[in-house]
Amino acid sequence: MGPHRRAVVGVASSTLALTLALALTGCGPAPWDFGAEPTPSATRSSSASAAPAPVPNDLSSGSTKRELVAGAVAASVDYWSTLSMDRWTAEALKPVNLSMTTTVTPDDGQKVYLQRAVMVAVPQGPDGAMAPLEAQIDQSSVAPGYLVLAPYSYSQTFNVGSVPAEATHVQLQFSYDFLVQTTPTSNEFAKQTASDTVTVAIAAVPGESDESESEG
């Protein structure tokens, strides 16, 4: 083979090598290049995190009103707290006030009495419900109960005690036992029960969130 032919073969080999190199470059990192840096889009995707879910709070505006129905009894209940929401911390004693009036249908002159009111506070956290606090019960000290037929009303204050530090909110589970006269002059009564749930957020103690972020 002459010198001219060897030169042509050499040029062809170089061209083939360059073509293969360009093809591999266009297809991204070579399969054996395990140490390659991730692409910017992959980095952004892996670093993205879901925003925390908002904490529910039925008393965020200061109060809430509920309309409850138990058989022939319709109860209108107002809930509020004299403690501002930023002070509803885990350790604080947290008062919950309520005021109630009722109506009865059909209204033939019979009266409605509240025999018992119960509140159970159930702390809630990132992993769900925690152990409930001890039930608070207002049992009527008079027979047959407290008269709650409008315009007469029932008012009471319950207190939510200390809850676990990791609690984000607390569910206040209320139940009301009513006694309704069967007739306006009867000493016989029908019992009706209404239930309700009010959710209130637990406020973080000032400074705790900053400390958690600095530790993280």
Side-chain angles (χ1 to χ4, degrees), residues 3 12 57 69 87 127 142:
N57 190 353
V69 177
R87 297 175 62 189
D127 297 326
V142 295

Side-chain angles (χ1 to χ4, degrees), residues 54-160:
V55 177
N57 190 353
D58 290 329
L59 298 184
S60 59
S61 64
S63 64
T64 189
K65 186 170 187 174
R66 302 292 176 82
E67 302 295 333
L68 312 178
V69 177
V73 178
S76 179
V77 189
D78 290 294
Y79 301 96
W80 72 96
S81 179
T82 54
L83 186 67
S84 60
M85 290 295 97
D86 61 329
R87 297 175 62 189
W88 264 65
T89 59
E91 292 295 331
L93 184 65
K94 302 167 277 292
V96 180
N97 306 288
L98 67 89
S99 180
M100 170 197 296
T101 59
T102 69
T103 58
V104 61
T105 304
D107 185 357
D108 297 324
Q110 66 271 45
K111 293 181 174 62
V112 179
Y113 299 90
L114 179 66
Q115 185 182 39
R116 189 175 74 153
V118 180
M119 186 197 77
V120 178
V122 183
Q124 305 283 326
D127 297 326
M130 304 176 186
L133 305 187
E134 183 178 356
Q136 296 186 36
I137 303 173
D138 182 14
Q139 181 76 41
S140 174
S141 57
V142 295
Y146 305 119
L147 180 61
V148 291
L149 186 67
Y152 299 98
S153 64
Y154 166 80
S155 298
Q156 182 58 279
T157 299
F158 292 108
N159 290 292
V160 180

Side-chain angles (χ1 to χ4, degrees), residues 2-17:
H4 179 69
R5 185 175 178 79
R6 284 197 298 273
V8 172
V9 172
V11 171
S13 300
S14 299
T15 302
L16 179 59

